[in-house]
């Protein structure tokens, strides 16, 4: 590690490095501007080593073994002029770095001793960041074995990086390491360098592995009061984003610049136009960036099927003028058992369609999914099985679940697709105004793939658009209830989204044809059950 870092620094051109140090660019940013990557940013004595190498290179004296061994080690020489063989390298970091605005220092320096600034402040940056992260994780009680780091950089830092790069190109563009290079393809981004500086240390401290696909996110947000919103980039409008509500913690995020817009403008603007807007090198700034740390987990999805055995339970809570309708809801019964296991912020309940409050859901059950927001606890398949058993052991027995499991994000789109494209089967108790002969029953049941037209039912016009929806009835079966003349069991299979009640009674002619019109009598529906929903979901 040390030899790799030393070799990379030793190969840098001394004059541009010395120039950048003198105008207030920190050693970490200097490495970024020369395209140095990988783990060198995690080396605590890197700033001191860079200054030492630059001083020795400028003096044109070979670097002996003793000098190499001294790189990165403490001494008490003054910061104002680091000297070697009467060659001076000015390294004034009493203000934040003019490029990163202190992101790689975190705190503006007061002490003017080189090694204390290079080492102790660097240690403060790493330790402070780690402490904030660990504190945030412990405070919320997250469980995780992998994590990923998300970093947000102020837009003004991008502008300042462009100004430093323009200064380098104008003053040192003849250097081979700078010729024919563009900022975007050569300079290591602040985000990449910060990850190089922090991730290895975080893995050790958190005893977890960094994985870009992890559901557990550590968000590092660097903020600075200086803004680019008022800068008039030609042909570009740097509009502020409106403030938004954070779904994880409910906080209101203040308006910020659109970083994408800033990047687009900086990529398209000419050097001449940029110079007319912003000075280069950029001016010194007394205020450094500050860091906010937050942690969250992306949505945990649990899917399965539910069965509903009560005719007085709605799918979701049903309130009219603050008065509850029914004995409860499927959503609440399931969530009251499932949600506490995750120690999460909130949840959302999704289902593939819904049945009316007076309709039972039988057979294999209706597909549903719970979206657990910002769960602190990881659950195993064994835990999920215990949760399923807990729901099914509720004494009321109104709701049961089956095939409960953790599912991926693709399950949501599959379930929504099934709301309109899959087949569903029903059984209804119906009343007919006359006795139907066996021949009529046989003719009725011979109907296959019957297309009907349904206007939005009267009972849902207050919440649905007034449309005409074509729907398919795939097959029908009619059984006479023994000992009666007017009561029958109707079994049918239809396209998802069909209003079955309206197909029976016609809804004042708004659904046609309907059972009444097909049998040439009046028809009413007394009870309805969903008996099957043909959808292949959740590894069934």
């Amino acid at each position: 590690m040390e030899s790799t870092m030393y070799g990379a620094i030793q190969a840098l051109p001394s004059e541009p490095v010395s120039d950048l140090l003198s105008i207030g660019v920190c050693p970490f940013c200097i490495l970024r501007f020369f395209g140095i990557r990988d783990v060198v940013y995690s080396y605590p004595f890197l700033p001191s080593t860079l200054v030492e190498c630059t001083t020795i290179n400028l003096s044109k004296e070979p670097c002996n073994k003793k000098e190499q061994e001294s790189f990165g080690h403490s001494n008490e020489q003054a910061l104002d002029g680091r000297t070697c063989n009467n060659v001076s390298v000015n390294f004034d970091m009493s203000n934040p770095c003019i490029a990163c605005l202190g992101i790689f220092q975190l705190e503006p320096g007061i002490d003017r001793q080189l090694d204390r600034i290079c080492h102790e402040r660097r240690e403060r940056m790493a330790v402070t960041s780690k402490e904030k992260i660990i504190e945030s994780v412990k405070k919320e009680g997250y469980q995780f074995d992998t994590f990923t780091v998300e970093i947000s950089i102020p837009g003004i830092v991008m502008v300042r990086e462009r100004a430093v790069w323009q200064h380098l190109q104008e003053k040192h563009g003849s250097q081979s390491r700078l010729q024919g290079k563009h900022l975007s393809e050569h300079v290591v981004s602040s985000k990449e360098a910060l990850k190089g500086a922090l991730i290895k240390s975080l893995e050790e401290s958190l005893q977890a592995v960094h994985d870009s696909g992890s559901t557990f996110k550590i968000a590092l947000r660097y903020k600075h009061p200086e803004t680019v919103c008022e800068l008039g980039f030609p042909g570009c409008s740097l509009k502020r984003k409106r403030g938004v509500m954070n779904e994880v913690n409910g906080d209101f995020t203040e308006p910020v610049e659109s970083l994408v817009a800033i990047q687009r403008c900086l990529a398209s603007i000419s050097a001449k136009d940029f110079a007319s807007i912003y000075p280069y090198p950029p001016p010194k700034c007394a205020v450094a960036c500050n860091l906010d740390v937050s942690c969250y987990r992306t949505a945990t999805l649990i899917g399965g099927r539910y069965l509903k055995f009560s005719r007085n339970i709605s799918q979701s809570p049903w309130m009219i003028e603050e008065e509850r309708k029914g004995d409860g809801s499927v959503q609440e019964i399931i969530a009251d058992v499932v949600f506490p296991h995750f120690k999460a912020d909130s949840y959302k309940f999704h289902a593939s369609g819904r049945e009316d409050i007076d309709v039972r859901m039988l057979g294999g059950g209706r597909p549903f999914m719970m979206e657990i927001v910002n769960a602190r606890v990881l659950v195993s398949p064994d835990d999920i099985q215990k949760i399923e058993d807990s729901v099914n052991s509720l004494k009321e027995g109104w709701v049961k679940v089956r095939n409960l499991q953790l599912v991926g994000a693709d399950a949501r789109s599959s379930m929504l697709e099934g709301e309109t494209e899959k087949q569903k089967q029903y059984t209804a108790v119906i009343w007919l105004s006359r006795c139907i002969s066996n021949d009529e029953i046989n003719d009725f049941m011979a109907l296959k793939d019957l297309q009907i037209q349904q206007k939005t039912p009267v009972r849902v016009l207050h919440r649905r658009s007034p449309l005409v929806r074509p729907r398919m009835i795939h097959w029908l079966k009619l059984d006479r209830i023994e000992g009666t003349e007017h009561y029958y069991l109707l079994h049918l299979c239809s396209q998802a989204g069909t209003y079955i009640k309206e197909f029976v009674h016609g809804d004042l002619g708004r659904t046609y044809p309907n059972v009444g019109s097909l049998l040439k009598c009046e028809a009413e529906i007394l009870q309805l059950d969903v008996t099957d929903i043909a959808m292949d979901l959740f590894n069934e």
Side-chain angles (χ1 to χ4, degrees), residues 42-171:
S42 65
Y43 187 67
F45 293 102
L46 185 149
S48 180
T49 304
L50 180 68
V51 177
E52 293 275 8
C53 281
T54 303
T55 303
I56 291 170
N57 287 347
L58 284 171
S59 70
K60 303 188 185 306
E61 290 288 334
C63 182
N64 58 43
K65 183 176 181 181
K66 182 177 181 181
E67 288 169 331
Q68 290 187 34
E69 291 174 349
S70 72
F71 290 157
H73 294 278
S74 299
N75 61 58
E76 299 299 325
Q77 295 187 19
L79 174 63
D80 289 343
R82 186 66 169 173
T83 62
C84 180
N85 293 338
N86 298 319
V87 177
S88 176
V89 176
N90 183 36
F91 180 48
D92 183 358
M93 294 304 294
S94 57
N95 288 313
C97 168
I98 63 170
C100 70
L101 291 174
I103 286 176
F104 289 95
Q105 306 152 291
L106 197 66
E107 300 171 9
I110 299 175
D111 196 313
R112 296 180 62 81
Q113 286 185 302
L114 174 63
D115 288 309
R116 291 182 64 180
I117 286 181
C118 291
H119 174 50
E120 292 181 8
R121 184 192 288 167
R122 175 64 182 139
E123 285 297 296
R124 281 203 304 274
M125 192 278 286
V127 170
T128 303
S129 299
K130 286 192 298 182
E131 286 178 348
K132 285 186 175 182
I133 292 169
I134 294 169
E135 179 184 357
S136 181
V137 172
K138 289 184 175 179
K139 179 180 179 181
E140 299 294 340
Y142 286 99
Q143 295 178 357
F144 59 95
D145 47 27
T146 64
F147 69 94
T148 187
V149 175
E150 296 179 339
I151 298 173
S152 174
I153 302 295
I156 193 63
V157 170
M158 298 181 189
V159 176
R160 283 176 165 267
E161 285 178 351
R162 168 66 183 269
V164 172
W165 180 251
Q166 194 151 316
H167 169 77
L168 268 176
Q169 288 290 307
E170 182 171 299
K171 193 170 182 180

Side-chain angles (χ1 to χ4, degrees), residues 224-470:
H224 194 272
E226 189 173 350
T227 178
V228 299
C229 285
E230 303 305 323
L231 298 179
F233 282 80
C236 299
S237 176
L238 296 183
K239 296 181 179 179
R240 278 177 174 260
K241 289 181 178 179
R242 291 181 299 171
V244 296
M245 185 68 71
N246 187 317
E247 291 186 3
V248 174
N249 56 31
D251 291 342
F252 187 78
T253 302
E254 67 271 19
V256 296
E257 301 98 346
S258 168
L259 299 184
V260 174
I262 295 171
Q263 289 174 324
R264 184 173 59 248
C265 291
L266 292 175
S268 62
I269 192 172
S270 67
K272 180 180 178 180
D273 288 337
F274 181 84
S276 68
I277 298 170
Y278 203 81
Y280 64 94
K284 293 183 178 180
C285 180
V287 180
C289 290
N290 60 69
L291 171 62
D292 285 345
V293 180
S294 61
C295 302
Y296 69 97
R297 176 171 275 113
T298 55
T300 303
L301 303 178
I302 298 181
R305 289 180 180 252
Y306 73 78
L307 295 93
K308 181 170 81 79
F309 301 106
S310 169
R311 297 194 187 276
N312 201 33
I313 295 290
S314 56
Q315 185 186 89
S316 56
W318 187 11
M319 306 291 291
I320 297 179
E321 296 180 352
E322 299 184 357
E323 182 179 347
R324 176 183 287 274
K325 300 298 180 180
D327 295 328
S329 68
V330 173
Q331 171 183 317
E332 291 168 304
I333 291 170
I334 295 176
D336 284 351
V337 176
V338 175
F339 184 65
H341 286 268
F342 292 86
K343 296 183 179 178
D345 290 347
S346 60
Y347 73 89
K348 297 177 183 177
F349 188 89
H350 310 278
S352 178
R354 66 168 60 232
E355 66 284 328
D356 292 336
I357 188 172
D358 59 346
V359 176
R360 296 186 299 179
M361 180 65 240
L362 307 178
R366 183 182 297 278
F368 78 95
M369 186 171 63
M370 279 190 66
E371 182 178 347
I372 311 295
V373 179
N374 199 21
R376 272 72 170 177
V377 176
L378 292 173
V379 296
S380 67
D382 289 342
D383 296 328
I384 295 294
Q385 183 59 55
K386 291 177 182 177
I387 292 172
E388 179 177 319
D389 294 341
S390 296
V391 174
N392 293 338
S393 63
L394 294 174
K395 63 179 182 180
E396 293 84 359
W398 292 332
V399 174
K400 304 285 185 183
V401 295
R402 56 181 294 270
N403 202 25
L404 204 62
Q405 59 188 281
L406 294 169
V407 299
D410 57 337
R412 181 184 310 178
S413 58
S414 298
M415 191 174 67
L416 293 176
E417 176 186 330
E419 289 187 18
T420 57
E421 297 188 5
K422 303 302 181 182
Q423 296 182 9
K424 300 184 180 182
Q425 295 183 27
Y426 302 84
T427 296
V429 178
I430 65 173
W431 173 87
L432 301 177
S433 61
R434 67 181 181 86
C435 180
I436 307 301
S437 69
N438 290 336
D439 289 340
E440 289 176 306
I441 290 177
N442 291 334
D443 291 342
F444 179 76
M445 293 194 299
L447 297 171
K448 305 295 182 185
D449 293 331
L450 172 68
Q451 186 165 354
I452 65 174
Q453 302 294 324
Q454 289 196 310
K455 292 183 179 179
T456 303
V458 172
R459 63 189 173 93
V460 297
L461 268 175
H462 64 285
R463 66 175 190 270
R464 296 285 178 87
S465 300
L467 303 174
V468 177
R469 299 172 176 86

